[in-house]
Each structure stands twice: as C-alpha cells, then as structure tokens.
Amino acid sequence: MEQTVAQSDCCTFRPATYYIDESGNTGDLTTAKIETYGKEQRMFTLAAVGCDLDQPFKNRFEALKAAHRIQSGEVKSRQAYERPQFVSDLLDLLDERGSPIFIEAVDKHYFVIANIIDRIVVPYVGACDVQPGALWMKGVMADHMAIHGPPKLAQAFISCCQSRDYVEVRDFYKQIIRWAQSCRLPTEGVADAFVRFTRDSLKDFRKLPKVRAVERALPISDTAPKGKPLWVLPNLTSFTHIYARINRFLEKQVSGVTLFHDEQLQFGDILRQNKMVMEAFTNEDVIPAFKTADFEFSASAKLEFMRSHDCIGIQIADVLAGFVARYIQDAVWGGIAMDPGRMSIFSRLVTAGVPERGTGVNIVVPESLVRFLGIAPRANYSS
C-alpha cells in the first residue's frame, strides 16, 4: 500500500536504546461497531525515539517542562499538543543529541481497505506479490476504494471477520464486483481491474473447502491473553515496520539494542511473538523490499515494556505520536485550520528523516490525503 516517506536530516548517532509509544489505538479494527465506524479517531500513530537518557538530558527535559509550566510528573501528549512551543523546543533538544525519530501514521479506514485488497481482491500467491509492480497496483486499488468506495464495503468486511460465515464472505466478493461495475472511478481501467481480480479470487475461493476458503479470505489472527482472536491490528503492523526501519538505520546491527515500549497488557505477547517471527523469517523471495525498512534480520534486539510514568523516553515518544495523530486528524477530518506553530512542527517532522536510513515519518493513507497535507508522495518500495 502507499507509504509516503519524509526526507532530510543527516543523523549519525546510533543509540542503543529506543523508546516507543502510540496514539489512537482502538485495538482490533474488526471489533468496530458499524454505527460508529469511521466516526471515531481515524489515525493511529506509533513513534520511536533513539536516545540515551543520561542525567544531562534528563535535566534539560525537566527544564523544558518547567519553562512551559508542565507541572505533572508525566508529560501527556494532549498537554504537549496544546503547547506547540514545548514540542518545538523538545525537537531542538533531540536534534542537539542527534536522536533519530521513527513515526508510523496510519489511517485506520485505509488499513481496513488494504486488508480487503490483500485478502479478497488480490490475495497473496507468491513472490510476485511483493514485486514493485504488484505493490504499486495494490496501492492504486486501495487508494480508489478508500476514497471512492462507500463505507458499507469496509463495514461488510468487518462483519465477515466477526461472523466468519462462508456465505457472507462469498457474498462480499460479489458486493465488491457489483460496486466496481456500477461505480465511476477517475482512473481508467481500475474498475475493470477490481472486477477481473475479484472474480478470479472468487473462483479460487469456491474451489476450496468452506473452512479453508474462509481462512484464506480473512486476515490471519493473533490471540489475545484470554484466548480471543484478534484480526486487524494497526499497532502490530506499525511496530513490525518501525523495528524493520531501526534495522535499516543500524545496518542490521541490532544486537545489544533495547526497544522500550510503553506497557502493553493486552498486546505485549503478540508484539513479542511477531518480533520473533520477523527475525526468524529467511525466505528472501517474499520479504518486501522497502526503501525505508529492512525486514531481513541478522540479529535480534531486546524488547522490554515499561510504564510511561517511569520513563521520560516513552513520554517523549508519546508526545510525538500524539502530535502527529492529532494534527492529521484535525487537518483532514476535523476541518480545523492549523496555526503556524503546529504547521511548522509537522513540516519539521515530515522533513526530518533520511528515507534510505529509515528515519522520519511514514504516512499510510491514500495519496490524495498525502497531497492534502502538503507532502509530495513517494513510493516506498524499491525498484
């Protein structure tokens, strides 16, 4: 799918500790209620900051809090968003330290649509699916369905995930075909591609035993601590992508590195398990070749969970994740005119990374929304 990367910065500092926190996590998107779908916070963000929290850094951070009259022991992202100059000064401090920043920003609706494309319309069949041409095609189709498709398509897919009913899933293929046949998409040939690919996928679906067909058509599940299956988790995808970006930044030398993630009572085990799967995966033919991320691991970083109250590094990651989530939410869906201070901070974050090194902001939204935010889209896959 479209992943737009930021540019700039020449950071050479390679810290051994990275602090990670999120904003806008509502869990498994297939549990969304149909009547509220798309009306809640649309953006999920995950931020990682590489930094050594020595005493001079801690002193500077506390001085920043005092200067901006933040009296609470823990800095919250909402507090910081209301004090844009604090965020700007914090970025100055991180720049002085050469601290690399990694941010994933994901439109949750687009993420659901991407799953429809990957599981229903153009399901994975082999190494060809991670080639640049296939990734570009899937991105175009996801953009068109996300922008021009009715909300009922995403809602029907969510219903299929919840029911796991063979007939309902089969009828969902037909629903996509009917939509593509009746809609007027702005790009020639895209509607025909939806019809052709979805029909071929439906034929394959009908050839399989019913249980296997449903398993193939719906996202692969993870399991919550109490045994409940979880299907569509943007926080999991964002975490694995940020880990792969750090792997790129460190040129695969992640041994001795520690990732400190905000405490995850519900998802901690899932993150650990998928991290291990990533590190053990060796089939180069199906590893996506992204410009910003390296999914081929030759070593393993440690993953630890801490309470944000106990760690200013996680609080800093929370400030950055929360700022980006709120800014995009307000600018795109809130209809709020952004003040110059926040616009400057967002622009600074967007231009503060080197794509080839994995740093900066990765925005997973339709291309038209990328342009609306004032960013020139760049494909993230290597040719």
Side-chain angles (χ1 to χ4, degrees):
M1 300 304 125
E2 182 64 34
Q3 298 187 351
T4 304
V5 294
Q7 307 178 47
S8 189
D9 187 6
C10 54
C11 166
T12 57
F13 177 48
R14 295 189 178 189
T17 50
Y18 295 79
Y19 300 91
I20 305 174
D21 203 0
E22 62 190 26
S23 178
N25 185 9
T26 51
D28 182 359
L29 299 185
T30 65
T31 62
K33 295 181 179 179
I34 302 302
E35 61 271 17
T36 60
Y37 179 80
K39 298 179 181 179
E40 58 187 13
Q41 187 179 30
R42 283 283 293 263
M43 293 304 297
F44 169 82
T45 54
L46 187 70
V49 179
C51 189
D52 292 334
L53 300 180
D54 54 24
Q55 195 57 48
F57 184 93
K58 293 179 180 179
N59 293 341
R60 289 284 303 278
F61 184 72
E62 290 301 322
L64 275 182
K65 288 174 56 180
H68 292 279
R69 299 182 180 180
I70 298 177
Q71 299 178 351
S72 58
E74 178 180 357
V75 180
K76 295 289 189 180
S77 61
R78 184 175 295 278
Q79 282 179 305
Y81 190 71
E82 295 169 353
R83 295 171 171 82
Q85 190 56 50
F86 169 78
V87 181
S88 182
D89 291 346
L90 176 59
L91 291 178
D92 288 342
L93 175 57
L94 295 174
D95 281 348
E96 289 174 19
R97 285 300 187 101
S99 298
I101 296 172
F102 311 81
I103 299 177
E104 294 283 312
V106 181
D107 170 11
K108 296 176 191 175
H109 172 67
Y110 187 72
F111 190 67
V112 172
I113 296 300
N115 274 270
I116 294 174
I117 302 299
D118 279 337
R119 305 299 301 189
I120 300 291
V121 180
V122 193
Y124 177 83
V125 294
C128 61
D129 291 291
V130 295
Q131 298 304 308
L135 294 175
W136 172 83
M137 179 191 68
K138 289 183 178 183
V140 169
M141 298 179 83
D143 280 8
H144 280 70
M145 182 177 280
I147 295 297
H148 303 288
K152 66 181 181 181
L153 288 176
Q155 294 167 356
F157 181 69
I158 288 173
S159 179
C160 287
C161 291
Q162 292 173 350
S163 72
R164 304 191 64 77
D165 179 74
Y166 176 86
V167 173
E168 186 173 2
V169 175
R170 182 199 63 197
D171 289 346
F172 181 58
Y173 285 88
K174 299 177 182 178
Q175 185 176 346
I176 293 175
I177 294 169
R178 288 195 300 270
W179 164 70
Q181 288 173 329
S182 62
C183 69
R184 294 184 179 180
L185 297 181
T187 306
E188 184 178 358
V190 175
D192 290 339
F194 267 108
V195 173
R196 183 171 67 255
F197 283 117
T198 309
R199 277 178 173 168
D200 288 344
S201 298
L202 178 56
K203 290 177 182 177
D204 293 337
F205 176 85
R206 285 171 162 158
K207 292 176 183 177
L208 295 172
K210 290 184 177 180
V211 173
R212 177 71 185 101
V214 171
E215 289 177 348
R216 186 174 183 272
L218 300 181
I220 299 171
S221 68
D222 290 283
T223 304
K226 294 183 179 180
K228 180 181 178 181
L230 302 171
W231 305 99
V232 181
L233 295 170
N235 55 323
L236 171 58
T237 303
S238 296
F239 171 75
T240 54
H241 200 260
I242 274 188
Y243 184 32
R245 290 171 63 187
I246 293 173
N247 190 45
R248 167 79 74 199
F249 177 74
L250 296 176
E251 299 177 331
K252 301 183 188 295
Q253 304 302 311
V254 297
S255 178
V257 167
T258 303
L259 312 176
F260 290 102
H261 197 300
D262 185 35
E263 190 173 49
Q264 295 280 301
L265 298 178
Q266 184 177 5
F267 305 111
D269 289 342
I270 294 173
L271 296 180
R272 286 186 189 279
Q273 181 181 10
N274 281 270
K275 173 180 173 291
M276 292 173 60
V277 170
M278 285 177 66
E279 293 163 343
F281 195 72
T282 59
N283 188 347
E284 296 182 7
D285 288 340
V286 295
I287 295 177
F290 289 135
K291 293 178 180 178
T292 62
D294 186 352
F295 285 85
E296 185 178 354
F297 287 82
S298 59
S300 174
K302 294 181 181 178
L303 174 60
E304 303 290 342
F305 294 94
M306 296 181 65
R307 296 189 307 164
S308 59
H309 183 80
D310 300 326
C311 179
I312 65 171
I314 291 176
Q315 293 174 39
I316 291 170
D318 176 51
V319 166
L320 299 181
F323 182 90
V324 171
R326 289 182 173 86
Y327 182 92
I328 297 177
Q329 181 81 27
D330 288 348
V332 177
W333 295 286
I336 299 174
M338 290 294 100
D339 62 273
R342 291 192 179 94
M343 290 178 67
S344 176
I345 292 168
F346 183 73
S347 177
R348 182 175 178 179
L349 286 168
V350 164
T351 58
V354 181
E356 293 74 15
R357 300 196 65 206
T359 57
V361 182
N362 193 54
I363 305 179
V364 187
V365 302
E367 185 176 296
S368 59
L369 294 190
V370 175
R371 296 186 187 279
F372 181 83
L373 291 167
I375 305 169
R378 284 168 45 110
N380 192 13
Y381 42 79
S382 299
S383 57

